[in-house]
Amino acid sequence: MEKSINIFENIDDLSTFFARQLIKRIQNIPEGQFFSMALSGGSTPKAVFQSLALNFGNQIAWGKIRIFWGDERCVAPENKESNYRMAKESLLDQVPIPVNNIFRIKGEANPSYEADRYAKVVSQHVSSQNNIPQFDFMMLGLGDDGHTASIFPGNLRLFSSDKLFEVAEHPQTKQKRITATGKLINQALTVAFLASGDSKSVMVSTVLDRKKEWEKLPASLVHPKNGELFWLLDEKAASKTQKFR
Ligand code: 6PG
């Protein structure tokens, strides 16, 4: 696994780097094939989506991208909590991506049924390596508690599940979530971990500098075995990590 830590002054610079990585990879996709991308929820991903829509709406071959999600809240698609709604409003409605290229997790469905259904959808529409679907590009956010996707501390069994998607539960709100597991996350060709703002600085440092109990954090388990891991941070999120010296 190749890992790089990239620190930016602001979200626009971070988003420009993100977009250029996408453009570079999509250019290598043979004619007739698709680039599979799993989106994340969260405030940093949302800011990146908005920047992509504003600055790269006509520079990315959106018709070559198939859009999936790494996790979703178990709510209806029009609910303000929905990751699908957030991505739709901040990016997908603003760029020329065919609706048939978008494969949302049905947050309104029965959670365990949907986890299985969506695993089948991903298996059907994302090419596999060693019988595990391999996303070309996976976005991840970092929770203040070290969670990623919807795998929360204390629930690492979801990361090591043999399934592709599992039902998770938010530890405070008890909201059900559908989440990709480590089996899928660590299979991706490229994983982009996005974090911005002061509130992320402690967790970023805990994970990157392997501070006390770092190994108990889901975010610490993200190691795309045959891929690249990009940490994309703004200066505030990186302010406590030794890598920023
Ligand atoms: C979700 C996300 C989650 C998110 C982190 C960071 O459904 O909420 O997938 O993993 O990326 O919680 O979110 P913030 O950047 O908003 O803190």
Side-chain angles (χ1 to χ4, degrees):
M1 175 195 82
E2 289 173 47
K3 178 169 108 175
S4 70
I5 298 166
N6 307 273
I7 299 166
F8 305 89
E9 273 186 39
N10 55 52
I11 278 287
D12 278 345
D13 291 353
L14 187 156
S15 303
T16 298
F17 179 91
F18 181 93
R20 288 181 177 149
Q21 294 300 322
L22 272 189
I23 292 167
K24 187 171 77 172
R25 287 163 176 74
I26 294 168
Q27 282 169 348
N28 297 333
I29 297 292
E31 197 52 44
Q33 291 184 24
F34 288 96
F35 182 83
S36 58
M37 181 173 178
L39 306 185
S40 169
S43 57
T44 307
K46 180 176 180 179
V48 170
F49 293 156
Q50 290 168 330
S51 183
L52 286 182
L54 186 66
N55 304 308
F56 293 89
N58 56 8
Q59 297 180 53
I60 291 175
W62 298 101
K64 284 187 76 74
I65 303 177
R66 277 180 172 162
I67 296 284
F68 303 86
W69 275 262
D71 71 321
E72 181 58 279
R73 291 86 179 277
C74 292
V75 296
E78 58 277 356
N79 187 301
K80 64 178 174 42
E81 286 273 294
S82 164
N83 287 341
Y84 165 75
R85 175 178 164 179
M86 182 274 278
K88 183 176 188 301
E89 291 176 344
S90 50
L91 176 63
L92 303 176
D93 284 351
Q94 322 296 330
V95 296
I97 186 164
V99 66
N100 292 340
N101 287 25
I102 298 171
F103 301 84
R104 74 177 180 91
I105 298 173
K106 294 181 179 174
E108 70 276 25
N110 170 284
S112 50
Y113 168 83
E114 181 57 17
D116 293 343
R117 184 198 71 88
Y118 198 68
K120 292 188 182 79
V121 168
V122 168
S123 301
Q124 285 164 0
H125 295 92
V126 177
S127 53
S128 291
Q129 284 293 322
N130 305 321
N131 294 319
I132 304 173
Q134 185 167 55
F135 283 123
D136 291 299
F137 201 97
M138 189 162 200
M139 291 176 83
L140 291 174
L142 177 67
D144 296 354
D145 59 359
H147 80 261
T148 194
S150 282
I151 302 176
F152 294 90
N155 216 346
L156 294 189
R157 67 167 186 84
L158 294 183
F159 199 94
S160 53
S161 167
D162 195 42
K163 291 185 174 182
L164 299 177
F165 286 88
E166 287 268 13
V167 179
E169 185 176 272
H170 190 286
Q172 280 78 46
T173 66
K174 306 302 179 195
Q175 182 187 60
K176 292 280 189 245
R177 307 268 188 103
I178 307 291
T179 186
T181 63
K183 180 175 185 177
L184 195 54
I185 292 169
N186 283 340
Q187 174 78 343
L189 280 174
T190 302
V191 174
F193 239 131
L194 309 171
S196 63
D198 290 319
S199 70
K200 304 296 176 189
S201 59
V202 169
M203 206 42 73
V204 166
S205 174
T206 303
V207 174
L208 292 183
D209 304 331
R210 299 192 169 191
K211 290 181 175 169
K212 186 169 178 293
E213 299 195 330
W214 69 279
E215 72 283 354
K216 293 182 179 173
L217 302 176
S220 298
L221 304 179
V222 175
H223 296 292
K225 48 187 177 298
N226 299 312
E228 294 174 278
L229 175 58
F230 287 97
W231 279 86
L232 306 185
L233 307 168
D234 71 355
E235 291 179 349
K236 289 177 180 172
S239 58
K240 292 185 171 66
T241 175
Q242 290 157 14
K243 317 283 182 208
F244 189 42
R245 297 286 178 261

